């Protein structure tokens, strides 16, 4: 199973849009779009879980840099918090 990070998302993108975008590459187990706790507004990124590693790699190759809603998506394999660079 691969967990993908998807960034630079248009705030108008819906879960149905995500499903339609990722399904051509394979099975999607879960889509988790994050929202601001106080405002409820989308935060501009999401996580997509795909059970098949090969299909997830195909989704990364096919969607990274793809334009959606006027923005170029950033799609890569999600890294655990302790592996991310400090900011």
């Amino acid at each position: 199973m691969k967990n993908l990070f998807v960034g630079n998302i248009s705030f108008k993108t819906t879960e149905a849009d995500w499903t339609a975008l990722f399904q051509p590459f394979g099975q999607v187990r879960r889509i988790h779009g994050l929202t601001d706790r106080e405002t409820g507004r989308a935060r501009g990124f999401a996580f997509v879980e795909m059970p098949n590693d090969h299909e997830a790699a195909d989704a990364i190759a096919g969607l990274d840099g793809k334009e959606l809603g006027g923005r170029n998506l950033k799609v890569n394999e999600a890294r655990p918090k302790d592996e991310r660079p400090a900011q």
Side-chain angles (χ1 to χ4, degrees):
M1 165 133 39
K2 291 281 185 192
N3 191 22
L4 306 181
F5 170 83
V6 186
N8 202 29
I9 300 170
S10 167
F11 297 121
K12 296 178 183 179
T13 305
T14 67
E15 190 168 327
D17 294 332
W18 288 112
T19 301
L21 190 66
F22 277 86
Q23 276 187 337
F25 296 97
Q27 182 183 358
V28 174
R29 178 169 285 161
R30 180 176 168 225
I31 299 171
H32 182 67
L34 284 93
T35 56
D36 184 274
R37 290 180 189 167
E38 294 179 19
T39 65
R41 183 177 171 190
R43 292 184 61 197
F45 64 95
F47 293 95
V48 177
E49 289 181 10
M50 298 183 78
N52 181 295
D53 291 355
H54 179 71
E55 292 172 354
D58 288 346
I60 292 170
L63 296 175
D64 187 39
K66 180 177 176 70
E67 189 272 329
L68 179 68
R71 294 176 159 213
N72 293 327
L73 298 176
K74 178 64 181 160
V75 183
N76 55 37
E77 187 173 345
R79 297 179 296 208
K81 265 189 172 181
D82 58 327
E83 291 182 21
R84 286 185 252 159
Q87 295 194 12

